[in-house]
Amino acid sequence: NNGFINSSSGGLWKYAGYLQMKFRLSALVLTAGIRYDKVTFNSFSKFSHRLGFSYLFSSITKLNFATGRYYQTPTYWMFMNPNNSDVLRHSYTDQIVLGLEHYLSYDTRLTIEVYNKIYNNRLVQKSDITPDPLDNRLGFSDIGGGISNGIELFIQKKFTSKWYGTLSYSYSDSKANDYR
């Protein structure tokens, strides 16, 4: 038995740029952004949008809405796995967030957000989609998908110029597609 020799080499170059513009129209603030990502390993090159609105009810209360597409490069050890039969695509989510932000006092902020995220091209181990559960050395596929909905509550308190405290609660319901 000669043992295992790992002679993998190479690297990964990733490029990205982001542009954001903010417009204020009285009590309405519009934020628009675009992001460009490029990874030469899998010939990935995409623009993705972000759009947000804030409505200022008063100097201490505002309603926020945001939507966008967010790409993510797969984890490197999965992305460059020599057992992958195909070059993997980037996963992405289409997200919508609605939130209310209110200052309880000059140094304490309360934020409540409700969100919905739809996941696409999520990585799945090939052993999870083959009849034999012991096929754990087959690599990965990017056929996965899912959805996540939730609510988050944050209370942030400023104690001094450099010290903050945060109390948060998060509830989410996440489901992934099962391809077996």
Side-chain angles (χ1 to χ4, degrees):
N1 186 354
N2 294 332
F4 174 73
I5 298 172
N6 185 354
S7 60
S8 297
S9 64
L12 183 71
W13 286 93
K14 183 176 179 178
Y15 306 93
Y18 184 75
L19 176 66
Q20 178 175 302
M21 297 174 68
K22 189 177 276 195
F23 304 97
R24 185 177 184 129
L25 308 164
S26 187
L28 183 65
V29 178
L30 167 67
T31 306
I34 190 163
R35 179 178 169 93
Y36 176 72
D37 288 283
K38 180 177 175 75
V39 176
T40 55
F41 182 78
N42 64 346
S43 302
F44 176 82
S45 177
K46 292 279 185 191
F47 284 96
S48 54
H49 68 280
R50 281 100 163 111
L51 186 61
F53 298 94
S54 292
Y55 183 79
L56 308 171
F57 290 107
S58 69
S59 61
I60 62 170
T61 304
K62 68 179 173 177
L63 182 69
N64 299 315
F65 172 80
T67 185
R69 178 167 282 184
Y70 296 83
Y71 284 94
Q72 184 173 6
T73 305
T75 306
Y76 295 150
W77 70 273
M78 294 176 174
F79 192 40
M80 302 175 84
N81 188 321
N83 295 324
N84 294 339
S85 55
D86 298 311
V87 177
L88 301 175
R89 297 176 293 170
H90 283 56
S91 62
Y92 67 92
T93 59
D94 290 320
Q95 303 181 16
I96 296 175
V97 180
L98 179 65
L100 182 68
E101 190 174 314
H102 178 75
Y103 279 89
L104 301 171
S105 65
Y106 76 96
D107 62 352
T108 306
R109 180 174 64 174
L110 168 73
T111 305
I112 300 171
E113 292 183 341
V114 178
Y115 64 86
N116 172 270
K117 300 177 182 181
I118 299 172
Y119 292 84
N120 300 282
N121 300 351
R122 196 176 65 79
L123 295 187
V124 176
Q125 259 190 322
K126 290 254 181 127
S127 61
D128 290 343
I129 56 176
T130 62
D132 185 356
L134 301 176
D135 287 341
N136 63 350
R137 302 234 189 268
L138 295 178
F140 297 88
S141 176
D142 56 19
I143 64 168
I147 189 167
S148 181
N149 299 294
I151 186 167
E152 295 181 344
L153 169 73
F154 299 97
I155 299 175
Q156 297 171 311
K157 167 102 169 121
K158 184 176 182 180
F159 292 112
T160 66
S161 65
K162 296 182 182 178
W163 291 90
Y164 294 84
T166 301
L167 174 68
S168 64
Y169 173 78
S170 180
Y171 173 80
S172 67
D173 179 28
S174 299
K175 296 179 176 104
N177 297 342
D178 187 351
Y179 295 97
R180 290 175 286 179

